[in-house]
Each structure stands twice: as C-alpha cells, then as structure tokens.
Amino acid sequence: MKFSRIQFESSNYCNMRCAFCPNRLMTRERKNLDLELFKKIIDDIVAHDLTETISFAGNGEPLLDPNLGEKLDYCRRRGLSTIITTNGLLLDKLNDALIKNLDCLYISWQTFNEKTFPLRDVPISYDLYRQKLLDFIKEHQGKLKIVISLMQNETRRWFTRDLMGKKFQELLKQNLRDFLATAGEISSAAQAELKKALAEKRRLSFQQIELAENIFLNVDQFFDWGGNLSCYSDKFRRIPASAGRCKIMADGPLVLSDGRLSLCCVDYDGQVTVGDLNQSSFSELINSEKYQTILKNFADRKIVLPYCQKCLGRWQNQSRLKNILYKIENKIYHLSHYRR
C-alpha cells in the first residue's frame, strides 16, 4: 500500500478561530507532535516505501510548532517531499533555512475582503494581513511552489443561504470576485484568466489555476467538516449515509499531534482512530485488521462507522417544499454548467 501523501498534525494549536474551521470546537489536548516520535514514524514510512510526500496540515497551525524546522530537515534527509498548510499569520517564521527543505506551501487565505475577514476572529486588520501575504509571495516567488486557497460555494445558493445564514453569504457570494484585485497584484495575466472564467461561468472548484510562475490558486467548495460546524439553521437535520466512498480518507491518513493515527483530517477531535503510534509502528497500524476492514468496507461502498455515516451524510430541511426547490436549483446548475 502506498499513499499519495501522509499527513502530520505537527501542532493542533492555532492562532486563528475561524468560523468555518472546527479547531475552535476541539476538546482533545493541545500539543505539538513529539520530535523523536515523528522521526520514528518517518523512518518506518521510508523503510516500507509508504509515500513520497509528507504534508504538515491537520487541525492546527504548523508554524506554531518550534520543532517544525527539524522535522522538515529530517524529511529532506530521508528523501521525502514536504507540504505545509498555513493560515499565513506567521509567514515571517518561514526563513530560508526552512524554505530550502520545503517543496510546497498552501496559504489558507480564504477570505478576500474586509467584510468577511472577521470570520477568522483574529486581532489584525485585513489590509495588514493581505499585505503580509502579498509581500511574502512576491519575495519568495520561484523558491517554492505556493498555492493560495480560496473557498467558494457556487452550486446551491438557495440551499447554502438557508442552511448557513447571513454571516456566510458574503464569503461565498463575493469571494472569487474580491480575489480578482489580489490576483492583479500577483499577475495581470491571472486576473484576465479569472475574469474570462467568470464570464463563461466556468466551474473553478477543485482545481489549481496558475496565477504566475509557480504560484497557483486552489478553489474549493465550502466544506462543513462532516456536519460538525455550528453555523447551521435549526430548520435542518443531518441525514446519515449508509453507502458510499470517502475521497478524503483515500488521500491518506493523519497522524494526530498526540501520536494517534486517524483516518483523516475531518475527524478533528480524534473520535475514530486506528491505534497509537507511541505503542505501535505506522506500518503495523495500516496493515492491521481494523484499518484493512475499514478500507474494504469503503471499497464495497459500505459506511459502517457512525462518525463516517454522519460525515458523509447530507443536510435536509424540515420543509418538504424547500427540499424540492433545492433539488430544482441543483438540477438547473448542472444543466447550465456541464453541457459545454
């Protein structure tokens, strides 16, 4: 078995309290992943050729980990490529010594105007935050791959409005258009490409668009973290799924900051774990009966774990009429966007 990447939650501390992220809801202990444990896991991964890429992500801010530089260096010495996902507040910590061991940096920018920036609950102005990120991108262009993450929901506007309420409407409605000004400061060609895509109503989600040399835009659909965010209307209920597959789990497991092995990053509170890497090796856990049974169930389109059933479920309005309207809306969208 070989994974496209293996994720490490180097830290589950975070210096933001984003309304669209479950980190603020986390009840497990806050800590940084032990350096020696990390090295032991990496050695096992390399010995069994389980991946070529290590991603520092999970449910925290990796740049808060004081040992991150040593972890990046160790990955480089063991022949692994590395990715960091950051909210961007601590980019000044990414000095040349760290960058030389880093292959790709995801900047979770997400909110692109002053009106939506308060959703991130941090005592800094949007203008200052924006300038900090732009300065870093311009200074380090060409040194590593930089991916700017943008969140959008372009498929079910009525449904999204009714489900999430007013505080998310501006974020999802204007985010891409507000990004145009920022794109213009990075590359005028990128701005022209985005304007063309908008005019053509081209679906931008789940893909990377090159803004300039080695700088990309990643557009994702708004994600509700398995129905666990608390911003939803009480007029809706979560309907568990009993059949299906999990794309996120297929991307690779996550080592939590306390050393437990989780199925994926959506399990932000570590409710569904395979075992403890303080006591077992990584290769032992992924070849265990428990993990292999979970994989087989998903391969057979069976969702057995209650957490996964909720995560892969769907929101349903209490009103039958509303649900009919949502289906019509979704049908109209797909007819207008997928005929070309």
Side-chain angles (χ1 to χ4, degrees):
M1 179 185 300
K2 191 165 185 175
F3 300 100
S4 60
R5 62 173 178 164
I6 294 173
Q7 298 186 70
F8 281 81
E9 187 183 72
S10 197
S11 175
N12 67 346
Y13 291 101
C14 192
N15 50 356
M16 283 187 168
R17 287 179 54 82
C18 301
F20 46 81
C21 174
N23 182 278
R24 59 196 168 83
L25 307 175
M26 191 183 296
T27 61
R28 57 189 170 94
E29 181 185 1
R30 302 281 178 168
K31 63 188 305 181
N32 298 315
L33 180 64
D34 180 76
L35 178 59
E36 294 308 313
L37 176 60
F38 174 82
K39 290 180 179 179
K40 185 192 85 167
I41 299 169
I42 291 296
D43 288 343
D44 187 44
I45 288 171
V46 172
H48 292 86
D49 192 25
L50 297 176
T51 191
E52 296 175 357
T53 304
I54 299 299
S55 174
F56 294 90
N59 291 284
E61 172 52 57
L63 295 178
L64 287 170
D65 179 8
N67 292 318
L68 182 63
E70 292 183 70
K71 291 172 181 175
L72 287 169
D73 181 67
Y74 197 73
C75 288
R76 180 67 74 197
R77 286 190 277 126
R78 297 311 316 264
L80 297 168
S81 62
T82 55
I83 302 169
I84 286 177
T85 298
T86 176
N87 60 36
L89 279 181
L90 298 175
L91 286 176
D92 53 330
K93 288 193 173 186
L94 270 178
N95 53 36
D96 290 339
L98 270 69
I99 288 176
K100 73 176 183 179
N101 293 320
L102 181 63
D103 296 286
C104 179
L105 178 71
Y106 271 77
I107 300 177
S108 187
W109 197 322
Q110 306 297 7
T111 51
F112 289 90
N113 59 52
E114 192 172 343
K115 184 178 289 186
T116 58
F117 190 62
L119 290 172
R120 311 205 74 170
D121 194 11
V122 53
I124 180 176
S125 71
Y126 176 68
D127 287 342
L128 182 59
Y129 175 73
R130 179 179 184 273
Q131 197 57 52
K132 178 195 287 275
L133 270 57
L134 282 172
D135 289 345
F136 178 90
I137 290 168
K138 292 173 182 177
E139 180 183 352
H140 294 90
Q141 182 177 356
K143 295 182 182 179
L144 76 164
K145 180 179 178 179
I146 298 175
V147 181
I148 299 169
S149 291
L150 162 73
M151 187 165 53
Q152 191 187 18
N153 190 311
E154 58 181 14
T155 55
R156 304 178 69 183
R157 295 189 186 279
W158 300 340
F159 176 83
T160 302
R161 180 197 63 204
D162 293 343
L163 178 64
M164 293 190 294
K166 291 183 178 179
K167 77 175 183 178
F168 282 88
Q169 286 182 42
E170 283 297 318
L171 170 63
L172 301 176
K173 184 178 179 180
Q174 283 295 122
N175 225 16
L176 183 56
R177 287 176 172 81
D178 289 331
F179 175 73
L180 283 170
T182 300
E185 292 197 40
I186 297 171
S187 164
S188 58
Q191 193 174 47
E193 171 66 19
L194 286 169
K195 284 181 177 178
K196 180 182 177 183
L198 287 173
E200 295 174 353
K201 295 184 179 179
R202 193 188 313 166
R203 189 168 190 255
L204 298 177
S205 52
F206 300 114
Q207 61 180 283
Q208 290 183 356
I209 301 165
E210 190 164 10
L211 302 176
E213 184 181 359
N214 231 18
I215 299 177
F216 297 82
L217 171 66
N218 183 62
V219 186
D220 281 332
Q221 288 288 302
F222 180 87
F223 183 54
D224 66 3
W225 291 90
N228 284 301
L229 290 185
S230 58
C231 59
Y232 300 104
S233 166
D234 58 7
K235 295 179 182 178
F236 287 78
R237 59 179 178 172
R238 190 75 173 179
I239 308 298
S242 59
R245 293 192 175 97
C246 179
K247 295 179 181 179
I248 298 176
M249 181 183 167
D251 194 36
L254 166 68
V255 178
L256 298 175
S257 59
D258 60 9
R260 290 180 297 153
L261 184 64
S262 178
L263 298 180
C264 72
C265 62
V266 182
D267 182 18
Y268 68 93
D269 230 4
Q271 294 184 35
V272 185
T273 56
V274 184
D276 191 343
L277 290 162
N278 291 285
Q279 301 169 1
S280 305
S281 71
F282 189 93
S283 55
E284 286 172 346
L285 291 183
I286 64 166
N287 288 301
S288 67
E289 182 180 355
K290 181 177 181 179
Y291 191 73
Q292 291 301 313
T293 299
I294 293 170
L295 287 181
K296 185 179 185 307
N297 284 334
F298 273 116
D300 295 338
R301 298 186 61 82
K302 296 177 183 177
I303 307 176
V304 177
L305 298 169
Y307 188 90
C308 297
Q309 289 176 343
K310 178 186 176 185
C311 179
L312 294 169
R314 59 188 174 85
W315 290 105
Q316 185 180 74
N317 199 294
Q318 307 282 12
S319 165
R320 292 181 64 185
L321 177 59
K322 283 273 189 178
N323 288 315
I324 292 171
L325 292 174
Y326 299 148
K327 289 180 181 179
I328 293 172
E329 175 191 40
N330 203 40
K331 187 71 173 179
I332 291 171
Y333 171 80
H334 280 272
L335 285 173
S336 61
H337 285 69
Y338 294 104
R339 284 185 300 179
R340 57 182 72 243

